[in-house]
């Protein structure tokens, strides 16, 4: 098998694994905050076992380390709101809301990158609005808070993704991921007492949740991260973008097959999903001529790994 063909299969496999993050978020009975806390802690601990990460930490200037630490706070807020959205609604709704990332990105990325606003990207925002309205109308009333939290999670995706993209060349991907997840773990520990009804960030999982957390941390985070680092050497940014945009599709299909969520949602929800995904796929097509790179830092810290390019 040629290297490019093998790389495409690897990326598809990674995207399927990322699609499972929403499913596992629903299956794990822990509240959103301790779920994210354990996930970040486990991945950070595994990265700290790598000598390369320690070398990167020692070589990183304090100012740059603080910058990545700040991004890590946004990463933790993204994961917290993503899993809270799933807990408040279901995996299909959480995955659909994350697909709104490019809409926010169309406005946020020009501001952070200090470039001119592209009117073509405004079209994406205009197209996605009726899709969101159909999604909201297609879910039970008690799930609509989950949609609001999911939209907030998509905003955090656009924020930290744009910042990571701007700073991508200043640090080793594994080291950057370790800093961001470590900072996120500390931030959630400090945040927990301030959140009503959240309980402590540190909450021992039962055996079932412990197993699911290990699968989430290593099978759906570190494994695809490592495979993607290899595959991205042989793929264009545009090709990778189109594959990673399939993540919400995989997540919704998996939710239907494994969780039977189609019984909770009506046809308006799925019509809205089609509109939103059409906008997601239009984003890289509109920007195909722009220079872009799908960076591994983003692959390590986002549920929607291709959105920021």
């Amino acid at each position: 098998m040629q290297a490019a063909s093998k790389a495409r299969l690897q990326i598809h496999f990674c995207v399927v694994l990322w699609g499972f993050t929403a499913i596992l978020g629903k299956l794990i009975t822990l509240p959103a905050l301790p779920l994210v806390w354990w996930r970040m802690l486990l991945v950070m601990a595994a990265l700290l076992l790598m000598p390369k990460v320690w070398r990167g930490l020692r070589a990183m200037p304090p100012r740059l380390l603080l910058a990545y630490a700040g991004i890590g706070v946004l990463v933790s807020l993204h994961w917290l709101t993503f899993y809270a959205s799933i807990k408040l609604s279901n995996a299909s709704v959480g995955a659909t809301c994350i697909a709104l990332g490019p809409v926010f990105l169309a406005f946020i990325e020009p501001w952070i990158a200090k470039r001119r606003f592209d009117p073509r990207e405004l079209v994406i925002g205009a197209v996605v609005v009726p899709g969101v309205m159909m999604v909201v109308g297609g879910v039970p009333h008690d799930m609509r808070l989950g949609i609001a939290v999911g939209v907030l999670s998509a905003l955090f995706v656009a924020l930290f993704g744009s910042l990571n993209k701007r700073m991508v060349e200043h640090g080793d991907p594994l080291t950057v991921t370790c800093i961001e997840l470590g900072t996120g773990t500390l931030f959630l520990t400090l945040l927990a007492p301030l959140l009503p009804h959240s309980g402590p960030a540190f909450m021992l999982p039962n055996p079932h949740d412990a197993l699911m957390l290990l699968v989430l941390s290593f099978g759906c985070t570190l494994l695809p991260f490592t495979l993607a680092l290899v595959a991205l050497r042989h793929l264009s940014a545009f090709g990778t973008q189109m594959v990673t945009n399939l993540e919400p599709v995989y997540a919704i299909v998996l939710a239907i097959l494994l969780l039977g969520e189609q019984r909770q949602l009506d046809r308006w929800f799925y019509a809205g999903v089609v509109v939103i995904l059409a906008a997601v796929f239009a984003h890289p097509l509109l920007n195909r001529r722009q220079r872009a790179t799908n960076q591994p830092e983003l692959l390590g810290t986002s549920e929607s790994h291709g959105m920021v390019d």
Side-chain angles (χ1 to χ4, degrees), residues 41-245:
L41 180 69
L42 289 170
V43 176
M44 179 194 67
L47 290 172
L48 287 175
L49 295 176
M50 302 178 185
K52 181 180 181 181
V53 171
W54 285 102
R55 290 194 296 269
L57 289 172
R58 287 193 294 267
M60 186 167 292
R63 184 175 179 180
L64 188 58
L65 192 149
L66 287 174
Y68 284 124
I71 296 173
V73 171
L74 294 175
V75 172
S76 68
L77 290 172
H78 157 57
W79 276 1
L80 179 61
T81 49
F82 174 71
Y83 287 108
S85 173
I86 291 171
K87 299 291 184 182
L88 292 167
S89 53
N90 61 29
S92 297
V93 171
T96 301
C97 291
I98 289 301
L100 294 170
V103 181
F104 291 113
L105 190 68
F107 297 93
I108 292 172
E109 205 271 338
W111 170 58
I112 291 179
K114 293 181 171 36
R115 67 169 174 83
R116 294 184 62 182
F117 176 78
D118 190 342
R120 295 175 300 175
E121 295 178 340
L122 182 60
V123 175
I124 297 173
V127 168
V128 85
V129 170
V132 174
M133 294 176 65
M134 285 187 283
V135 164
V136 172
V139 303
H141 190 270
D142 59 355
M143 288 189 181
R144 292 182 181 178
L145 178 59
I147 292 178
V149 176
V151 171
L152 182 60
S153 183
L155 173 62
F156 286 128
V157 162
L159 281 170
F160 86 74
S162 297
L163 290 168
N164 256 342
K165 184 175 179 179
R166 183 178 180 183
M167 301 182 62
V168 75
E169 297 180 355
H170 301 296
D172 169 70
L174 293 174
T175 303
V176 169
T177 300
C178 184
I179 293 170
E180 292 181 353
L181 298 190
T183 306
T185 305
L186 177 60
F187 174 74
L188 292 181
T189 303
L190 299 175
L191 180 66
L194 305 178
L195 295 179
H197 312 299
S198 66
F202 175 79
M203 182 184 296
L204 283 175
N206 60 41
H208 170 268
D209 285 349
L211 177 60
M212 293 294 100
L213 281 167
L214 290 174
V215 174
L216 177 63
S217 301
F218 302 121
C220 297
T221 305
L222 277 182
L223 175 60
F225 178 85
T226 304
L227 290 175
L229 284 176
V230 177
L232 289 174
R233 299 172 185 171
H234 305 286
L235 295 176
S236 68
F238 178 80
T240 306
Q241 175 77 58
M242 298 304 290
V243 175
T244 54
N245 280 347

